[in-house]
Amino acid sequence: DSTHSMFFTPRNAIVFFLGFSWGGLACIDANISILWAVLIGLIMVAINFSLLQGLASLNEAGNLSLNNTIGKEAVVSIPIPAKLGGCGKVNISFQSRLEELEAMTEYEAIPRGQTVKVLRVSNNNQLIVKNQVS
């Protein structure tokens, strides 16, 4: 199973022998049984194994999905021309990031500093927005 294949790796062998060798030197110096060195090696492998499993659980995709902007508010940073006449830009916070993205509107032109709402994402990854009426 995958746990055993993850446990018996060259990295874990190196960690075991590192712990075993240092533990063995300490055992010889302290004049105690060398079996403690084996235990120290196994403890080092267990620590390494748990750290690597913890790191593996932290993986997160850093990809932005523009569909997560739908329904969110944004602030216009570059004016947006009217009736899909061109692109402007908006600052929007989503997925724990602040991004500046291209935006278009199907309605009247939207000036800089205006708050807009994202209606949908176009086929070429531009936000289609609508002016928020205060």
Side-chain angles (χ1 to χ4, degrees):
D1 93 1
S2 67
T3 305
H4 289 101
S5 65
M6 191 172 164
F7 193 74
F8 295 109
T9 63
R11 179 185 303 126
N12 282 344
I14 291 169
V15 169
F16 171 78
F17 286 115
L18 178 74
F20 176 73
S21 63
W22 282 101
L25 290 174
C27 289
I28 290 170
D29 190 46
N31 208 12
I32 57 176
S33 173
I34 202 77
L35 291 176
W36 286 102
V38 173
L39 182 63
I40 292 170
L42 291 174
I43 290 171
M44 293 284 288
V45 169
I47 291 170
N48 182 54
F49 183 72
S50 63
L51 286 174
L52 290 176
Q53 277 202 321
L55 287 174
S57 71
L58 293 177
N59 63 359
E60 177 182 331
N63 300 341
L64 292 176
S65 174
L66 293 183
N67 288 330
N68 291 334
T69 63
I70 296 172
K72 294 201 179 288
E73 291 185 351
V75 177
V76 177
S77 59
I78 296 177
I80 303 171
K83 305 208 185 295
L84 303 176
C87 283
K89 289 201 173 186
V90 295
N91 289 323
I92 186 166
S93 180
F94 71 108
Q95 290 182 220
S96 303
R97 297 182 187 181
L98 179 63
E99 295 287 328
E100 184 176 56
L101 302 172
E102 290 184 348
M104 300 175 80
T105 187
E106 298 170 332
Y107 305 100
E108 296 303 314
I110 305 172
R112 183 178 187 275
Q114 193 72 33
T115 301
V116 294
K117 184 173 184 175
V118 178
L119 300 176
R120 66 182 188 278
V121 179
S122 72
N123 291 339
N124 51 354
N125 290 330
Q126 294 168 331
L127 305 181
I128 306 298
V129 297
K130 179 182 178 184
N131 197 353
Q132 286 287 84
V133 179
S134 301

